[in-house]
Amino acid sequence: MSGSDLRALFRSNDRELKAVDFFADRQGEWASVAESLVRHTERVRAPGFDVQDLEAPRRNVLVFYGVGGIGKSTLSRGVADRLADGISGREDWPPLHPSVGRVLPIRIDLSRETGADVESLMLALRLAVANLGHAMPAFDIAFQRYWQTVHPGEPLEEYLRHRTWFSRLPGSNVLPQQMQSVLSDAAQAVTLPGTAGALVGVGLRALVGALRDRRHRVRTLAGCRRLADLLEAEPNQDTLSYFAHLLAWDLEQLPERHRVTPVVMLDTFEEAGHRGHRDLEKLLQRVVWLMPNVLFVVTGRNRLQWADATLEGQLDWAGPEYWPQLVGGALEEPRQHTVGYLSAEDCEIYLCERLTISGEPLLDDRARRFITRNSYGLPLYLDLAVMRFLDLYRRSGRAPDVHEFNLDFPALVARTFRDLAPETRRVLRSVSLLDSFSISLATTAAGLDHDAPAMDLAERPFVDADPVAPWPFRLHDLIRGTVREADSTSEDRWSEADWQRAALRAFQALGLESDRDRTRLVASLRQGLRLANDYRLDLGWLEDAAFRYVEDFIWEPLGTAGTDMSDSASITTPAHALSVTLTAVADRQRRHRSLTAETLRRVLASGHLPETLRELPQYFLAECDRDLGNFQASLSGMQQVIDIGGRLAATAARGQAHLARRVGCFPQVRDAVATLGTEGRRDRVMGDLWWSQGSVALACAAYAASRDEALSTGQSGEAALSQACLSFASAFQDRPRAAEQIARAKDLLGHASIRWAEIQVEIAVLVRDAGMATDLPERAEQVAVLAREAGLTSSVAYVHLAACFHAAVLGSPALLEAARDRLAMSVRGEEFAYLMELTYLMTGDQRPSELPAAQWLDGVQQTQARWAALVADRRREAAANRGA
């Protein structure tokens, strides 16, 4: 459990000096882990244990909590390593009792920097069990449905390969194959034709539907009582957390010789939630409750409060009757433990073995006693003291005097702080304002013109490094929290005005970084919004960054480092208002549009946004109103943005053109196109206009031009949106080409998050299969449900248009009448009436006199001829396919 400490090793020319990263083993904590595993496996293997019992109290959580810097993460990593290889680095940790059997450790860091969420947790659990060599059929089928909905067009193997954390897990190579095998086996069992490669998208939905009614035919799934309910639930992260029940059930079905006891270590649990915000903690608790056959080892700063009945409502299961061993005073393992400060004996061992020269401890007995006494067993203190000793030793060539270590922790930080060169201290103060930093960012934030002080700081033991992060360095949290206190006693301490100036420098440095690429744009926004809020700074570069963030439809979560910055209930500063706005705009891709609209109205009512930014919430509120079917409100909102004449004026003009198309005013749309230009996405609007006239070739050419222009300027979100529209238009006329366009759209949408476009591609699949697929009405209703749940009224209308096209090709009056009835529910006066009129033009039926008539570009007869030709061509193709 030790290795060379290269940073310490390279601070001295003395080749006899040995420095190791030494882990002082915690015998008591390991004993708790070992005893918990014995108790846990006894319960799980008892005759009466039922993994599907959702009422029995849970006794599967072991908790270690304590202050920052106490060594909780080190303990978590040590336990994971020990369980993985079965070999302890010291004799202090005895082997597990033979009755425990095979153990499968899975460690997950929940810290903000890792971006861990429920999806990451469930994927990590599934990847960990992949190498057992057995598929997890119940979980795999449900998860594939979730994946196709939440990540349309993005293959799971591609996702795993491009994310460093997952690619390092051993199961990443075999998991996709296992999941596809499960789908094929299930399809055969329910007599559904299809191969593994075909069971995606619509094929997967058909399989899910068949399993609801014929699950008993699949022997491996017959006993999973709640599978059908989970397959019917809307796929989202909330539903995903319930899939833990399926994975627990699958694990129980493994043959006896392949049984394992999973041990899931959840580290940095304090970042999963706090007293006012337990959304993630609620999902994690649900996973723990639904997997009673898994032992969870939680490490964090705070005691788990799950046994507190007053939290009912914030958590699914709260109270001592649910978690009897998490109550205070519980004696039986697994239970909650304070992570004790290292014992004097452990400190002695640590200090003896951390630095040696010619095999002997570099620190003498007296120095070790002073350091041990002042450390109170805090591992971070020991490490800081060792590094201070080494620096003094290097400077003088002799062991430092004892009085130089007679310091408490703040004093040691202060002394460490004072020992730094003045410019390095300046850098340390500056980066304490940042969540993470690079050498160049730290130098600029400190107001220096050379990198050496920042490079010196980055080598210190209290600076963590993550090479894959946008900015790789991060101060240890305990140091960040102590810098201001330590600074108050230093000779060159900063005043409040100095800190304010430092915050401004750091803020401006982030602004320079925001121009480099989109990754740094998002990272700069996250930290810049926090600084501007905390220090009441002018928004400055944040205004331009905010517009650049929204202009390309990618919508990375901002996660602005604290719930107070995303809480719209009481907006207090311009930065707070902007943070709420951007978070709401991004989240509209993952929740109902009405929730976003409500939040944006609160932002506008707060009055905290400057006039130059008010168009941002105004435009997206108008867009939400359009999606929700609030036609007049949307029209008025778009006009307000146009009248402002700001950066979103062209976008709002396009929005008005969309609204004009909704009510069939096509000449008005054509006239508006001339004023839109590139910023107004002129070509995409023309594509929207041409397909509605039945001019599919012109529509496809316009959409392709819009896509290519977006790709040439690096606007991947706009390219994906245009491609989704292209796949829809091409599906009416050229089915082989449509298949290619749909595949390309899914590929482009794998790098963006545009819910409307994702559903539009699903509608394109329906149009492509119109007249060919016997189950198209059922599939259409499934897509319509997705559109309704997202609050997308236009998508619902397009789904029903596809169903009408299908009925027209088949020449089935009954199907056509039913499809028209569903489409009629989307028609509100003139809004979407043109779609209903199209269903009469494509069949030659008489349009009802009460139906508002659209203003077709070249008249009703020409438009009818084109749509009738599309239907006739599809009929001939369908007949040829049946004849073949």
Side-chain angles (χ1 to χ4, degrees), residues 13-19 356-360:
N13 292 325
D14 193 338
R15 295 299 298 150
E16 295 298 316
L17 174 67
K18 300 296 181 184
T356 61
I357 189 164
S358 300
E360 296 297 322

Side-chain angles (χ1 to χ4, degrees), residues 574-591:
H576 188 179
L578 181 56
S579 174
V580 172
T581 299
L582 296 179
T583 301
V585 168
D587 284 350
R588 83 191 195 285
Q589 304 298 331
R590 293 172 280 275
R591 63 178 187 168

Side-chain angles (χ1 to χ4, degrees), residues 181-193:
S181 176
V182 165
L183 295 182
S184 294
D185 292 345
Q188 292 175 18
V190 297
T191 64
L192 183 71

Side-chain angles (χ1 to χ4, degrees), residues 25-47:
D25 296 288
R26 295 180 174 271
Q27 300 178 52
E29 285 80 358
W30 171 250
S32 296
V33 173
E35 178 65 17
S36 295
L37 273 168
V38 171
R39 298 287 188 186
H40 176 74
T41 53
E42 284 176 353
R43 278 191 289 269
V44 170
R45 295 169 189 168

Side-chain angles (χ1 to χ4, degrees), residues 423 426-427 430 440-450 502 505-506 509:
E423 288 187 333
R426 183 183 180 92
V427 174
S430 300
S440 61
L441 179 59
T443 299
T444 306
L448 300 176
D449 60 1
H450 52 291
R505 284 198 307 271

Side-chain angles (χ1 to χ4, degrees), residues 536-753:
R536 300 299 195 266
L537 303 176
D538 292 337
L539 293 181
W541 61 267
L542 284 173
E543 293 192 17
D544 177 68
F547 283 110
R548 285 189 285 128
Y549 172 74
V550 303
E551 70 185 7
D552 198 29
F553 309 104
I554 297 180
W555 312 122
E556 307 92 330
L558 283 176
T560 47
T563 56
D564 58 316
M565 286 292 286
S566 59
D567 180 12
S568 63
S570 60
I571 296 172
T572 56
T573 68
H576 188 179
L578 181 56
S579 174
V580 172
T581 299
L582 296 179
T583 301
V585 168
D587 284 350
R588 83 191 195 285
Q589 304 298 331
R590 293 172 280 275
R591 63 178 187 168
H592 199 278
R593 291 299 202 269
S594 62
L595 299 175
T596 300
E598 180 183 347
T599 300
L600 294 176
R601 288 190 184 97
R602 284 201 293 268
V603 171
L604 289 168
S606 75
H608 279 287
L609 271 185
E611 287 299 321
T612 52
L613 277 172
R614 284 183 64 84
E615 64 176 308
L616 221 168
Q618 282 178 330
Y619 169 75
F620 285 101
L621 175 58
E623 190 181 83
C624 287
D625 279 329
R626 182 189 68 201
D627 293 336
L628 294 167
N630 303 327
F631 183 86
Q632 289 301 326
S634 180
L635 191 64
S636 175
M638 294 292 182
Q639 187 60 51
Q640 290 176 26
V641 176
I642 292 172
D643 291 342
I644 291 173
R647 293 179 59 162
L648 294 178
T651 305
R654 183 183 74 242
Q656 282 200 338
H658 285 316
L659 291 169
R661 182 168 54 86
R662 282 193 175 205
V663 295
C665 296
F666 298 118
Q668 181 180 337
V669 178
R670 180 185 56 196
D671 294 343
V673 167
T675 67
L676 292 180
T678 302
E679 290 185 0
R681 314 299 185 191
R682 174 192 55 221
D683 288 324
R684 176 152 61 83
V685 176
M686 282 303 301
D688 294 338
L689 181 60
W690 287 127
W691 80 256
S692 58
Q693 312 303 303
S695 300
V696 174
L698 291 175
C700 290
Y703 286 137
S706 179
R707 176 204 61 204
D708 293 343
E709 184 175 29
L711 288 174
S712 69
T713 55
Q715 297 176 311
S716 58
E718 172 60 28
L721 184 54
S722 297
Q723 182 62 37
C725 294
L726 174 55
S727 69
F728 171 75
S730 65
F732 282 106
Q733 191 170 59
D734 190 337
R735 294 183 70 248
R737 184 189 181 199
E740 298 172 1
Q741 302 296 356
I742 289 168
R744 185 169 185 184
K746 290 182 176 180
D747 180 61
L748 289 176
L749 283 168
H751 306 285
S753 179

